[in-house]
Amino acid sequence: MVRIENLIKRFGELEVLHGVDLHVKAGEVVVIIGPSGSGKSTLLRCVNRLEDITDGRVIVDGHDLADKNTNMNLVRAEAGMVFQQFNLFPHMTVLKNVTLGPIKVRKMGRAEARTLGTKLLAKVGLGDKADVYPDQLSGGQKQRVAIARSLAMNPKLILFDEPTSALDPELVGEVLDVMKDLAKEGMTMIVVTHEMNFAKDVADRVIFMDDGRVVEENDPEQFFANPQNERTREFLGKVE
Ligand code: ADP
Ligand code: MG
């Protein structure tokens, strides 16, 4: 589903990804952990082309993102993104937030989009919130709306960038539960998170990034029980 090969990303003179390789199969859940500033967000942003690629290759579902002929709107629609800050439109109801993408980008009819939006809000446990505005919701509810919005585009994969980092601790679980359900249903997911229990329970693979490189990669059992790299050990010692 995703093939990243020797990805280099520079912002002007500053090189922040020094040659990243990462392959993600359909249905896989890959969790990326690592210290602040190590390039995790930049990597995700390159996968749905919110950032230009300086060098190397990123192929998403067969589309080469460096190819000028690739339809970027289509690629963005196929790779949903869920951010730490939910980025909902405050002046639109919850349902409108969810149906906007299918109507504008997928050219779906309003009635069909409403039906889909209603179904997806029920799926994330917010069937009763369709007509309220985002500022009437808790952070956990807002993030679940953001997940429903992403699902409304019928993505092939979803990229999560620290989806629970802005939430009060008691609201983290409800968002992780929705993500776990998606994983069980076979959604391909790349998740940047500091939630180590989520990584242990849900990930097929855990990646440790440091200073713009993938330093270690393993299945969760091995990764946590027996980290190979000194920097991984140091990081896990701090967060666990
Ligand atoms: P992480 O998500 O792991 O905390 P980021 O990908 O946000 O790391 O950032 C990696 C590095 O890239 C940091 O040094 C950050 O300052 C730099 N960076 C990120 N975005 C930009 C940008 N738009 N312009 C310049 N530097 C950036
Ligand atoms: Mg980040």
Side-chain angles (χ1 to χ4, degrees):
M1 184 65 73
V2 180
R3 231 161 66 220
I4 300 170
E5 280 160 11
N6 197 25
L7 172 61
I8 296 185
K9 173 63 185 172
R10 288 189 208 103
F11 292 105
E13 297 287 282
L14 179 71
E15 186 171 295
V16 302
L17 297 177
H18 308 298
V20 170
D21 292 291
L22 178 64
H23 291 196
V24 182
K25 287 185 234 145
E28 244 190 330
V29 177
V30 173
V31 166
I32 301 177
I33 65 173
S36 177
S38 57
K40 306 178 300 294
S41 295
T42 303
L43 178 63
L44 288 191
R45 292 169 63 82
C46 286
V47 173
N48 82 340
R49 209 46 162 71
L50 289 171
E51 300 288 354
D52 288 340
I53 293 156
T54 307
D55 207 350
R57 273 154 74 86
V58 179
I59 304 197
V60 178
D61 194 32
H63 303 288
D64 183 344
L65 300 204
D67 184 343
K68 297 276 174 292
N69 297 321
T70 297
N71 179 344
M72 287 312 152
N73 287 331
L74 185 68
V75 171
R76 276 190 202 117
E78 290 189 351
M81 183 121 175
V82 174
F83 302 90
Q84 180 174 336
Q85 302 298 343
F86 330 107
N87 299 349
L88 299 177
F89 292 114
H91 59 289
M92 289 182 189
T93 65
V94 161
L95 184 63
K96 272 255 162 64
N97 267 280
V98 175
T99 58
L100 187 68
I103 290 169
K104 293 278 180 218
V105 180
R106 297 282 196 212
K107 310 294 177 204
M108 190 181 277
R110 279 172 197 280
E112 191 187 346
R114 263 191 107 74
T115 306
L116 173 68
T118 305
K119 189 184 91 190
L120 291 173
L121 286 172
K123 182 186 172 77
V124 299
L126 295 172
D128 55 339
K129 299 291 186 193
D131 297 323
V132 311
Y133 286 83
D135 68 1
Q136 296 167 266
L137 299 178
S138 71
Q141 291 171 327
K142 280 183 207 168
Q143 193 59 300
R144 286 186 280 145
V145 173
I147 294 172
R149 176 181 59 181
S150 166
L151 290 172
M153 295 298 280
N154 195 22
K156 296 259 175 68
L157 79 155
I158 306 187
L159 313 168
F160 292 88
D161 193 358
E162 300 199 32
T164 61
S165 293
L167 301 179
D168 292 334
E170 73 272 22
L171 304 178
V172 168
E174 66 193 56
V175 172
L176 294 180
D177 284 345
V178 168
M179 293 168 62
K180 278 181 199 169
D181 286 345
L182 287 179
K184 273 194 209 130
E185 291 167 14
M187 178 61 77
T188 310
M189 299 166 49
I190 306 178
V191 184
V192 173
T193 186
H194 298 294
E195 293 291 330
M196 296 302 146
N197 285 328
F198 179 85
K200 284 175 191 164
D201 295 347
V202 184
D204 296 300
R205 254 183 314 141
V206 183
I207 308 279
F208 178 67
M209 276 185 77
D210 192 23
D211 191 23
R213 288 189 175 82
V214 172
V215 170
E216 184 156 354
E217 172 170 357
N218 218 330
D219 62 77
E221 292 75 26
Q222 284 301 316
F223 184 92
F224 290 107
N226 192 16
Q228 299 297 306
N229 188 284
E230 179 55 37
R231 282 184 290 175
T232 315
R233 284 197 285 271
E234 193 188 325
F235 180 77
L236 290 176
K238 281 184 204 146
V239 296
E240 285 193 297

